[in-house]
């Protein structure tokens, strides 16, 4: 999977606001080139809401374990819920994993190296093994974000 394929898939879901920071939009330069997905049926950037998924193309301070400084390397990050986190990692999100995880391995789902403790999953360069699960997790994250939005809206 390439980033544009993932963006096309998620952007095609009803009510998704896809944010791609770049020069001239008042976003921090560090975020330029990355993609953030929100459930926002009105098309307005939500205040005080985290994205339900992201695509990052570079290392961030304190988040270098995936080695995104390699050519053509990106990571999909997904907030797909506690049940999916447990299913894919074999432990609760607040527990330490039983074994070390290679956060730079490609086409492998794992607990996000920084946000795993709050239930985020990640995959570097999704490929044949993780394409279908990545799509399913993105869909689940979207559904969870939509449900949160609807609860808050009353």
């Amino acid at each position: 999977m390439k980033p544009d394929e993932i963006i096309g898939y998620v952007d095609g879901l009803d009510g998704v606001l896809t944010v791609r920071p770049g020069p001239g939009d008042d976003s921090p330069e560090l975020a330029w080139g990355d993609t953030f997905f929100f459930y926002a049926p009105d098309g307005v950037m939500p205040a005080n809401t985290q994205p339900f998924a992201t695509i990052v193309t570079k290392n961030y301070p304190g988040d270098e374990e995936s080695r995104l400084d390699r050519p053509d390397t990106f990571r999909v990050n997904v907030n797909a819920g506690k049940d999916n986190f447990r299913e894919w990692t074999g432990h609760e999100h607040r527990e330490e994993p039983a074994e070390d995880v290679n956060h730079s391995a490609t086409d492998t789902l794992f607990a996000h190296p920084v946000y795993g403790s709050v239930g985020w999953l990640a995959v570097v360069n999704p490929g044949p093994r993780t394409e279908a699960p990545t799509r399913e997790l993105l869909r689940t994250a979207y559904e969870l974000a939509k449900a949160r939005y609807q609860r808050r809206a009353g």
Side-chain angles (χ1 to χ4, degrees):
M1 297 178 82
K2 299 291 182 200
D4 285 342
E5 291 176 70
I6 297 163
I7 292 166
Y9 172 72
V10 178
D11 199 41
L13 299 171
D14 187 49
V16 169
L17 174 64
T18 301
V19 178
R20 298 178 84 175
D25 66 5
D26 296 327
S27 63
E29 187 173 346
L30 182 60
W32 295 357
D34 294 339
T35 307
F36 304 83
F37 301 105
F38 297 87
Y39 181 76
D42 57 4
V44 176
M45 178 74 148
N48 303 318
T49 300
Q50 294 293 319
F52 65 84
T54 66
I55 299 173
V56 294
T57 58
K58 67 190 86 52
N59 292 330
Y60 278 70
D63 184 7
E64 297 92 8
E65 288 184 47
S66 293
R67 298 181 36 233
L68 299 177
D69 52 352
R70 296 173 286 170
D72 300 317
T73 303
F74 66 97
R75 186 179 66 213
V76 178
N77 307 301
V78 186
N79 185 7
K82 295 174 188 175
D83 292 339
N84 279 311
F85 186 89
R86 187 180 324 102
E87 178 183 333
W88 282 98
T89 66
H91 63 89
E92 299 297 325
H93 63 281
R94 291 194 166 106
E95 296 175 352
E96 289 294 321
E99 41 187 82
D100 288 333
V101 175
N102 179 355
H103 291 112
S104 66
T106 60
D107 199 19
T108 303
L109 273 156
F110 50 81
H112 188 286
V114 175
Y115 300 111
S117 63
V118 292
W120 281 69
L121 294 168
V123 58
V124 175
N125 289 22
R129 289 187 308 170
T130 57
E131 179 175 359
T134 298
R135 287 179 187 271
E136 290 172 27
L137 291 167
L138 288 165
R139 172 66 113 168
T140 299
Y142 160 79
E143 294 292 345
L144 291 169
K146 182 177 178 179
R148 278 190 300 275
Y149 177 92
Q150 291 172 338
R151 274 193 314 275
R152 290 176 182 156

